[in-house]
């Protein structure tokens, strides 16, 4: 056991399996702030070796979303698919197979994604298919996310707030409508309504309203707004004070530039309302797991202190797991506009709190007669 612990501690101290350096995250954030999404995707791709084998899920998720933001959906899909396959594998591992994290360091474990990240991988993949008009493929992802959420609502303890995802349910309902499956759409709409009701006391945002304007067709715009909160390490006093330190993660909100989003297409215009506050979901989910994380860190600190008796210097070996899907948006907004069928151009205006435009995004679409076209935009 001592030999195993020494090796685990060495791994934790030397690499911490924490993924790319802070400079990579900062560069990625800078590309997003300036709207250079193709460059962001290349940055992630060029840092593949820095992610390491234990962070394959994180690499695939971040690359996949960057490619979606760069409108390279065909390239994004296989990355998200690989991330989903690996997450599924990791979530089926037994406790004994994941014992290294408990004994040495949280970062020793392969990154397997949070519950909301698993759901979002399906949601973004469905949106990428829907944007290309591939309704059947989008529906596969909608069914997969609903199956995952159904499992979560049965398995997750009641004290955990994130057991369901209202926006994912709403999106599934709309995709069922696109496929002409009205009964399935009603079932998903009812599930979305229940989830939004549960969210109401905890998360900002509300269920998307009906489409606005006049026209035989519809343009549905999903806006990914703001930078994701950063997850950072917080050090706390451990056993014997400064001799050993505990460590736990905390989210730090990034400055928000966008406060309102207005969308115009032809004679129709509408605000894009917040339908999923991911920053709030992340913060609440971590808050509800924090006691367990702190407790495990204290147990490890005490165990490492005991190792000093056999000559193992374990000081400064405790690293909080601050890995997270760093290019997620802070919020998801939605607007649906009734528009003429055929080719059209829409404008997404990202406005600050004073109403000044911080970015304008132009979108092209060609909804069929009586049909719906999906588009995705990003606001800083």
């Amino acid at each position: 056991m001592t030999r195993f612990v020494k090796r685990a501690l060495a791994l934790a101290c030397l690499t911490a399996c924490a993924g790319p350096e802070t400079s990579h995250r900062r560069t990625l954030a800078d590309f997003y702030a300036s709207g250079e999404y193709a460059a962001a995707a290349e940055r992630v791709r060029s840092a593949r070796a820095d992610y390491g084998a234990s962070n394959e899920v994180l690499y695939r998720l971040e690359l996949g979303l960057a490619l979606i933001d760069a409108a390279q959906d065909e390239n994004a899909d296989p990355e998200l698919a690989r991330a989903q396959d690996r997450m599924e594998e990791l979530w089926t591992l037994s406790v004994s197979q994941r014992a290294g994290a408990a004994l040495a360091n949280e970062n020793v474990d392969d990154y397997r994604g949070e519950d909301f990240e698993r759901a979002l991988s399906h949601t973004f993949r469905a949106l990428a298919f829907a944007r290309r008009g591939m309704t059947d493929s989008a529906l596969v992802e909608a069914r997969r996310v609903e199956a995952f959420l159904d499992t979560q609502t049965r398995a997750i303890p009641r004290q955990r707030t994130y057991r369901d995802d209202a926006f994912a349910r709403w999106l599934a309902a709309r995709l069922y409508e696109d496929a002409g499956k009205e009964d399935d759409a009603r079932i998903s709409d009812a599930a979305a309504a229940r989830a939004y009701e549960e969210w109401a006391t905890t998360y900002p945002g509300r269920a998307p309203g009906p489409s606005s304007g006049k026209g035989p067709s519809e343009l549905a715009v999903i806006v990914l707004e703001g930078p994701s909160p950063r997850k950072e390490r917080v050090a706390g006093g451990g056993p014997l004070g400064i001799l050993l330190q505990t460590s736990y993660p905390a989210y730090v909100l990034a400055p928000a530039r966008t406060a309102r989003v207005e969308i115009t297409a032809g004679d129709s215009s509408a605000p894009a309302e917040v339908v999923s506050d991911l920053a709030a979901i992340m913060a609440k989910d971590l808050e509800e797991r924090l006691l367990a994380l702190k407790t495990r860190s204290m147990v490890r600190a005490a165990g490492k202190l005991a190792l000093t008796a056999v000559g193992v210097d374990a000081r400064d070996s405790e690293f909080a797991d601050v890995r997270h899907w760093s290019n997620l948006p802070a919020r998801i907004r939605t607007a649906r506009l009734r528009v003429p069928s055929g080719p059209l151009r829409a404008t997404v205006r990202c406005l600050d709190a004073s109403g000044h435009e911080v970015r304008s995004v132009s979108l092209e679409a060609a909804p069929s007669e009586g049909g719906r076209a999906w588009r995705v935009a990003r606001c800083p």
Side-chain angles (χ1 to χ4, degrees):
M1 177 59 73
T2 301
R3 181 179 301 174
F4 170 78
V5 172
K6 286 182 177 179
R7 289 178 178 175
L9 284 172
L11 178 62
C13 294
L14 290 174
T15 67
C17 302
E21 298 292 332
T22 302
S23 59
H24 167 76
R25 302 294 184 200
R26 188 178 300 116
T27 302
L28 192 61
D30 288 343
F31 281 134
Y32 265 84
S34 59
E36 300 177 76
Y37 306 122
E42 278 306 307
R43 175 64 185 182
V44 176
R45 193 178 277 118
S46 68
R48 176 66 182 95
D50 297 332
Y51 282 84
S54 64
N55 293 306
E56 180 184 357
V57 165
L58 204 56
Y59 169 73
R60 302 291 182 189
L61 291 175
E62 294 187 347
L63 178 56
L65 183 53
L67 290 167
I68 286 176
D69 289 322
Q72 298 179 31
D73 296 338
E74 297 88 345
N75 297 328
D77 186 66
E79 301 299 338
L80 292 178
R82 292 187 188 106
Q84 290 170 349
D85 290 344
R86 184 59 179 151
M87 283 189 283
E88 187 66 30
E89 291 173 6
L90 292 171
W91 277 87
T92 58
L93 291 179
S94 68
V95 174
S96 61
Q97 288 172 293
R98 303 182 61 242
L103 290 172
N105 200 290
E106 299 285 348
N107 292 281
V108 172
D109 198 10
D110 280 55
Y111 189 78
R112 56 179 186 160
E114 307 292 356
D115 292 342
F116 59 85
E117 291 175 341
R118 290 190 70 186
L120 284 168
S121 73
H122 294 292
T123 297
F124 290 139
R125 204 174 166 201
L127 284 172
F129 281 127
R131 180 160 64 178
R132 286 183 282 165
M134 301 172 64
T135 302
D136 289 343
S137 295
L139 269 182
V140 169
E141 291 305 305
R143 291 191 180 102
R144 290 182 69 189
V145 73
E146 288 206 292
F148 170 68
L149 294 171
D150 288 343
T151 300
Q152 293 300 95
T153 55
R154 292 191 297 267
I156 296 297
R158 293 297 300 175
Q159 61 267 30
R160 289 284 296 279
T161 303
Y162 186 86
R163 299 184 305 275
D164 207 343
D165 194 298
F167 175 69
R169 299 283 193 181
W170 176 88
L171 177 63
R174 304 288 74 74
L175 293 173
Y176 281 124
E177 284 180 348
D178 290 348
K181 300 180 182 296
E182 298 298 333
D183 289 341
D184 291 322
R186 280 192 290 271
I187 293 171
S188 293
D189 265 329
R194 289 193 298 271
Y196 271 116
E197 185 176 356
E198 288 185 5
W199 279 14
T201 58
T202 307
Y203 308 133
R206 59 183 184 182
S211 54
S212 59
K214 296 180 179 180
S217 304
E218 182 179 288
L219 176 66
V221 181
I222 307 298
V223 180
L224 310 181
E225 180 224 317
S228 172
R230 302 186 310 275
K231 191 184 276 187
E232 297 185 353
R233 173 179 178 259
V234 177
L240 299 188
I242 63 173
L243 183 59
L244 280 175
Q245 292 287 312
T246 60
S247 182
Y248 58 91
Y251 279 114
V252 178
L253 290 176
R257 295 171 60 192
T258 300
R260 292 190 295 116
V261 179
E262 299 286 342
I263 300 176
T264 303
D267 296 330
S268 299
S269 62
E273 302 290 352
V274 176
V275 294
S276 183
D277 193 316
L278 296 181
I281 289 173
M282 294 175 198
K284 186 65 175 177
D285 190 67
L286 179 58
E287 174 191 324
E288 292 171 345
R289 294 185 293 111
L290 199 54
L291 178 59
L293 292 173
K294 288 183 176 181
T295 300
R296 289 205 297 268
S297 184
M298 289 289 290
V299 170
R300 283 193 299 269
K304 291 170 186 178
L305 181 59
L307 289 175
T308 60
V310 293
V312 178
D313 185 359
R315 287 174 296 180
D316 299 322
S317 68
E318 184 65 12
F319 299 94
D321 189 353
V322 296
R323 294 173 293 177
H324 64 293
W325 189 350
S326 68
N327 59 340
L328 283 175
R331 285 162 291 280
I332 298 177
R333 294 176 180 264
T334 301
R336 296 158 61 201
L337 287 75
R338 303 302 307 181
V339 295
S341 56
L344 60 86
R345 184 183 298 273
T347 300
V348 178
R349 298 181 66 228
C350 313
L351 309 172
D352 65 17
S354 300
H356 298 130
E357 187 174 283
V358 296
R359 181 172 298 167
S360 179
V361 181
S362 181
L363 303 173
E364 294 184 355
S368 60
E369 182 75 23
R372 177 187 290 131
W374 291 89
R375 289 297 178 265
V376 181
R378 190 104 188 199
C379 282

